[in-house]
Amino acid sequence: MDERQTPEPSGTPRVDGSESVPGSDRAAGSDRAAGPGRGKRRWLGALAGLVSAAVLFAVAELAAVFFGPGSSPLVSVGAAFIDFTPPWLKDFAISLFGTADKAVLFISMALVTAVLAAVAGMLAVRRYALGASLVAVLAVVMGVCVATRAVNSVLDLVPTAVGTLAGLLALSWLTGKAVEAGARAPEAEAGAVVPQDGAAATEEARSRRSFLVAAGLTAAAAVVVGIAGRTFSAARNTARIARQALKLPAAKTPAKPLPAGTAAPVQGMPPYLTPNPDFYRIDTALVVPEIDPADWSLRVHGLVEEEFTLSFNELLALDLEESYVTLTCVSNVVGGDLAGNAKWLGYPLRKLLERARPQAGADMVLSTSIDGFSASTPLAVLQDRRDALLAVGMNGEPLPLEHGYPVRMVVPGLYGYVSATKWVVDLEVTRFADKTAYWTTRGWSARGPIKTASRIDVPRAFDRVSAGTVAVGGTAWAQHRGISRVQVQFDGGSWQDAELAAVPSIDTWRQWSYRWEDAPAGRHEVRVRAYDTDGELQTQDEAPPAPDGATGWHSITFTVE
């Protein structure tokens, strides 16, 4: 066993004139006392632990380049955390951080890792086996997370193993130097002052400098290795390279040109079609799956008369169609922006199911992503005349990697968690009574029809606008039912009908506007509500996103001056 303790010479004089007895302090457990040397060793050990953790993850990331994306221990731990996150916490994170939720998760993981690494380093300077044992336990946890990911194999454990070995070697070397540097400081009882001659002080400074140089060089090496891992990973990203080279075929049934007036005439409104970089992204993939379309295939099976597998080239050779469809996340709060509208290119899912010929009694299609996510979509929704697509294109270009490249599902009228599966590789025709999907097992509704919603986009909450005519604008949606009427209310007064912009179909959102003439100076509140094409009024009852979508009327406060 590696004892990281510095022996005290026999008869070392104390400041009170007494002499220490060899081994008596350790026998009494005084290595936990706040002596200057031991205090320095703890802080140096913490730094050694932090640098060693950087080595571990940098080496693991570099090794992961030669295995699957899910072989990264940091990614697998984060993915496991997402999988086990209770719905209320996931909903809170999305409502608080929106599309930055994954960045916040990575930052949180980095902070937790830093604390554990510092603890491991402080343990290691006392006794290396203690710090190494903590690292080994954490490595086992990371290994379990890697091994249990749906896309991983046993070989994907190699990066974790290699990174752990590198981290332990770094920890052993650096804590050895930390002990040596800490040993140069004379021991003393708490509160006592120990005189130190010039030679001893110089030697202590030299040892500490030696440790800091070693730690700095190791940290720099970790940074270089980490950058190399990211660079090699980007260079080997066949999905990105293949997407850049892909030329999508023309649609057999192209979308009709957008009618005039789809954008509300209010400055500051979001565009009718959401640019791809601005389209919201909420999913369970901590790292975007990298799928080479040459390796992609879709299996259609289950309660069907004909099971088959479809390759990417076979999909592109089919009669593709274009359609404008608005997608909405079930985690969207009242007035939130987790909704986006795009022109999609794909093959109708109803035609795919016609080929499979579902059997009597089937009522659900369980779609599964390459990363293990699944969604439960009512079979009837995919068989009616709505533009439910197996999509390959978005706004005139191949799907962006983060939005499902090479293939995803797009289904009007359902929240994304039960319909919009990205990186889809499997469609199983089954029954709701027999199978459950990813979020259904976590307490969310199994079917997820979109509820009528409306929001105010202009002015923003707490804006200050000029007196006179105030232009108010916003967006409303009720996919596959459509919006027939929008009303606004100022300061609790009567409801006023807003002007509706044009739409190409009932499957997209609809912008609206209202001009408030002679708005008086002061603070005002405006509320909005919408009706669908069945004449059904959006409910005023307030409800959170869980378990089947938020409800309530959006309102904001602004000031006229």
Side-chain angles (χ1 to χ4, degrees):
M1 187 174 293
D2 184 2
E3 297 287 344
R4 294 301 173 94
Q5 297 177 1
T6 305
E8 184 178 295
S10 176
T12 301
R14 300 186 188 276
V15 292
D16 61 1
S18 64
E19 290 188 356
S20 64
V21 177
S24 62
D25 284 350
R26 277 183 292 283
S30 65
D31 60 326
R32 295 182 178 86
R38 294 187 181 97
K40 285 187 176 70
R41 284 200 297 273
R42 291 192 188 99
W43 289 112
L44 295 177
L47 178 57
L50 290 170
V51 173
S52 300
V55 170
L56 188 159
F57 288 108
V59 171
E61 289 298 315
L62 179 59
V65 171
F66 304 98
F67 297 86
S71 64
S72 163
L74 201 59
V75 169
S76 290
V77 170
F81 178 83
I82 290 175
D83 285 349
F84 288 102
T85 299
W88 66 266
L89 182 57
K90 172 254 185 189
D91 185 55
F92 172 77
I94 293 176
S95 64
L96 186 62
F97 303 114
T99 55
D101 57 339
K102 293 180 177 63
V104 172
L105 175 58
F106 271 123
I107 293 172
S108 301
M109 289 172 58
L111 293 175
V112 172
T113 300
V115 171
L116 294 174
V119 171
M122 287 188 286
L123 290 174
V125 294
R126 289 184 54 193
R127 184 170 297 168
Y128 177 72
L130 292 176
S133 297
L134 177 56
V135 174
V137 170
L138 297 176
V140 169
V141 172
M142 291 188 295
V144 170
C145 292
V146 171
T148 53
R149 300 306 300 162
V151 295
N152 290 347
S153 66
V154 175
L155 287 177
D156 289 313
L157 289 169
V158 172
T160 300
V162 173
T164 301
L165 178 60
L168 287 173
L169 290 174
L171 184 66
S172 176
W173 183 51
L174 292 175
T175 52
K177 285 191 168 293
V179 168
E180 182 182 353
R184 303 299 179 182
E187 300 292 344
E189 298 294 339
V193 178
V194 179
Q196 189 175 15
D197 60 32
T202 301
E203 183 63 23
E204 179 190 351
R206 183 182 299 113
S207 297
R208 188 164 58 248
R209 193 160 49 243
S210 175
F211 166 79
L212 293 175
V213 169
L217 291 175
T218 306
V223 170
V224 170
V225 170
I227 292 174
R230 300 306 301 168
T231 302
F232 292 156
S233 177
R236 289 170 57 91
N237 191 331
T238 55
R240 191 175 303 278
I241 295 171
R243 181 184 180 275
Q244 291 172 349
L246 176 62
K247 181 175 176 59
L248 292 174
K252 180 73 173 181
T253 306
K256 295 180 180 179
L258 286 175
T262 55
V266 177
Q267 186 175 2
M269 283 287 293
Y272 175 74
L273 288 178
T274 309
N276 291 353
D278 299 335
F279 207 96
Y280 78 95
R281 180 200 164 197
I282 298 292
D283 52 54
T284 62
L286 195 57
V287 172
V288 175
E290 299 172 5
I291 307 174
D292 186 340
D295 299 328
W296 178 89
S297 64
L298 177 72
R299 182 188 178 206
V300 182
H301 63 109
L303 300 178
V304 296
E305 297 299 331
E306 180 186 347
E307 295 189 359
F308 61 90
T309 300
L310 189 70
S311 72
F312 189 67
N313 285 337
E314 289 172 333
L315 175 58
L316 294 185
L318 297 174
D319 292 342
L320 303 184
E321 299 182 5
E322 281 183 331
S323 181
Y324 299 101
V325 176
T326 295
L327 299 184
T328 307
C329 181
V330 71
S331 296
N332 198 42
V333 297
V334 173
D337 60 358
L338 299 182
N341 187 41
K343 181 173 71 173
W344 306 92
L345 171 69
Y347 186 68
L349 281 160
R350 67 177 181 278
K351 294 184 178 179
L352 204 68
L353 292 169
E354 286 172 4
R355 174 178 170 182
R357 303 193 306 280
Q359 297 173 1
D363 63 0
M364 185 255 275
V365 174
L366 186 71
S367 55
T368 304
S369 166
I370 197 170
D371 67 346
F373 171 84
S374 58
S376 55
T377 309
L379 176 61
V381 169
L382 301 180
Q383 291 179 310
D384 64 18
R385 303 305 299 176
R386 77 184 70 196
D387 293 329
L389 299 174
L390 194 61
V392 296
M394 180 179 181
N395 287 331
E397 63 182 62
L399 291 172
L401 268 63
E402 63 273 18
H403 289 293
Y405 179 84
V407 184
R408 67 170 297 166
M409 288 174 59
V410 172
V411 182
L414 299 181
Y415 288 116
Y417 82 105
V418 295
S419 66
T421 303
K422 302 173 185 176
W423 314 290
V424 62
V425 294
D426 190 278
L427 296 180
E428 180 183 4
V429 179
T430 181
R431 288 184 283 259
F432 280 101
D434 298 335
K435 294 291 180 71
T436 53
Y438 183 93
W439 285 114
T440 309
T441 60
R442 290 159 174 79
W444 293 78
S445 170
R447 297 174 185 266
I450 288 177
K451 299 175 180 179
T452 303
S454 57
R455 74 181 184 207
I456 301 162
D457 293 311
V458 179
R460 301 290 183 182
F462 308 114
D463 271 358
R464 307 182 77 86
V465 301
S466 300
T469 299
V470 175
V472 181
T475 311
W477 57 83
Q479 291 95 306
H480 207 60
R481 298 188 309 280
I483 295 295
S484 64
R485 187 181 185 189
V486 172
Q487 293 182 317
V488 292
Q489 179 193 60
F490 296 92
D491 301 326
S494 59
W495 288 94
Q496 307 294 322
D497 286 328
E499 293 290 330
L500 296 180
V503 287
S505 77
I506 58 174
D507 289 336
T508 75
W509 61 19
R510 193 166 198 176
Q511 295 192 350
W512 57 267
S513 60
Y514 184 85
R515 293 176 62 82
W516 189 19
E517 304 288 348
D518 301 321
R523 188 176 180 182
H524 302 282
E525 180 189 50
V526 57
R527 288 203 296 174
V528 63
R529 67 185 186 184
Y531 295 78
D532 66 19
T533 55
D534 295 328
E536 194 72 24
L537 174 63
Q538 171 188 353
T539 180
Q540 183 181 4
D541 298 336
E542 295 183 0
D548 57 1
T551 59
W553 293 345
H554 186 216
S555 65
I556 65 160
T557 299
F558 66 99
T559 301
V560 174
E561 55 186 16

